[in-house]
Amino acid sequence: MKLIETPIEYLKGVGPVRGDLLRKELQIFTFEDLLYYFPFRYEDRTIIYRIKSLNPSMNYVQVIGKVEMMETLGSGRNLRLHVYINDGTGRLELVWFQGLKWAKQLFKSDLTYLVYGKLNYFNGTYSIPHPEVEIYDPSNGDDIKALYPVYSSTEKLKSRGLGSKGISKLVKTLLLTLEGQIQESLDEMVIDEMNLISLSKALQFIHFPPDQFSLESARLRLKFEELFYAQLSVLQLKHQRKSFSHGHTFQKVGKFFNEFYEHHLPFALTNAQKRVIREIRADLRGPRQMNRLLQGDVGSGKTLVALMVMLIALDNNYQTCLMAPTEILAQQHYNTFLEMLSGMEVEVRLLTGSTRQAERQEILNGLLENRVQILLGTHALIEDQVQFANLGLVVIDEQHRFGVEQRAKLWIKNNIPPHVLVMTATPIPRTLAMTVYGDLDYSVIDEMPPGRKPVKTILFTDSDRLMVFSFMKRQIAKGSQVYVVYPMINDSDKLELKFLEDGYISVTREFPLPEYAVSKVHGQMKPQDKEYEMQRFQKGETQIMVSTSVIEVGVDVPNATVMVIENAERFGLSQLHQLRGRVGRGDNESYCILMASDKITSDARARLDTMVNIHDGFKIADVDLILRGPGDLNGTRQSGIMKFRLADLIEDKDLLDKARNLADKILSYDPLLTQPQHAIVADQLKNKRKDLLPLSMIS
Ligand code: ADP
Ligand code: MG
């Protein structure tokens, strides 16, 4: 066993009891875990302020002084201790509301104290509540002129002497124990190229930075390492796929594609659609398997791209399938495909969880006998019984709903893996896409079909409800339809239904039969019932669709012009954007009404304002990333690549680019990292791989 893998309880000062706590409370199991348990902030103890020079804009300050006077004021719950110190330039008040007795005995009359804390300014007086206090010893200069690490801790740990200070002590012991034993984790050429400090220096400085500059070089070194290995990992997979994988070759564009293009295409393709089809086409022609991500804002026309690309598969005598995340959506794709392809001889089938047994059997046979050319469906497509004669291309719609394993199952339906096109309407900022999907090729539809009007987005609160109802009535009187969407909470069936049912009751009370008809759809309904209600709405038999966010993805009812989102503050930005994309599909002016509770936090307010002001999904995604942080983004949580300790994909974008370029450069001449100068990197990568599962990784 390496020293660094020693269980934490064997560190001097830990022992079994604290060891147990460290494991349970902070997931610190080994020396290494503690070594990588970084401070979350630092107290700047490099400066000692003169009391005279304090000003109200200061935040945390450090001063020294002798005690002039102490007094206890107030009584009962108001009891407090005031200590006045003086450094010869002025007087400063220190206040304790708790632990008065303990605080009192901290001070002796003729000693000088070093005091640190948050400065308050009130009524012309400065004070520091509950400061940190220690005896000032100028001979101990090293410790004072430094940045003090602050570690997060828990109540339980604190009660065992492992607050921030206690942890810091353990780290100090650990660093001494490991002295000279921390192995470098980057090759010399990388360190030189990037001008980095050594790993052992970086770990020393991240915990105990002598100054700001050392801290920055430590952070740079450690962040770079995180980004570099993440990039190296995805890029190596991409290189391997490009050089070693084999795929079907779709040599020609033939009668299916051409007939559709010339006679069935209902409108001119946008330039972006054309470009993306060309990009995909180039992949399909080669001997390598395609693994491409197609991003395009809601309504940018991804379905049509999918359809046309699928026709290329048919032209080359391959079968193809499209998998959608919900039954409603699969059904809708099916209708679109039937309509678009009507008059052409193409066998399109739909397979979902609710396909009847007889029909299912017939479809399964048709697939094996190569009669079914295009199969649309839901998760049902990945079941083991679904076997194709010759599957050449898989399209996955609204990717974020599918996990890695599910995609993997589709791949293995053939000896030669089919080409894969993943489509997503959750725009991910480019930086992030590069990291999360770094192993995929990437296309983007960055242009909307002509004539789209932006959806007018308005923020209301609960007290405006009557106004919203009458607005809905006016719109319905004009022949439009309305969605009213309720949040789905924690995937908990009961809560989901409560919000929805309460809402449904109030909507039907306001919009009663026979004048109005209201549909209701939610995730717990039987697929047939859902489908039935969706169709009623689609056909215009009901004017209002009350639903949970099952409606979110992809549903297309051009006559719907109003989207009311209840408890809008409970939705994420991309989800709101998706919902808003359900309207504005026809020629009429459309509206998205965000209903927020009367009391919302300023964060929530900022998010909703973003929705009101920004209509471009990519820009919204950028804001979302800033407001929520990358860890939260749809579908990225599952990816180990996102778990950075220090690196931040927004702040460290430039560093990410550098890491990526360097990784790419190395792989370009040593794809398997077998050259001796890459020995350390190769070894580290092997170890880190298990934590870095990219989305496309299969076997
Ligand atoms: P999404 O990218 O969100 O999946 P869809 O594929 O559902 O979007 O397309 C949204 C709507 O735009 C559909 O009604 C579709 O028929 C229409 N559409 C797609 N491409 C074009 C185009 N080039 N010109 C006009 N309308 C288009
Ligand atoms: Mg779509």
Side-chain angles (χ1 to χ4, degrees), residues 299 302-303 329 332-333 397-398 423 425 553-554 582 585:
K302 294 183 293 291
T303 317
L329 201 56
Q332 188 183 287
H333 280 321
D397 195 13
E398 308 299 353
M423 305 199 293
V553 179
R582 298 308 106 218
R585 308 196 140 222

Side-chain angles (χ1 to χ4, degrees), residues 41-45 114 132 134 143-144 146-150:
R41 66 179 177 88
Y42 302 84
E43 291 175 354
D44 188 350
R45 301 291 186 92
L114 184 70
E132 277 182 39
E134 57 194 84
D143 257 18
I144 293 162
L147 296 161
Y148 274 31
V150 183

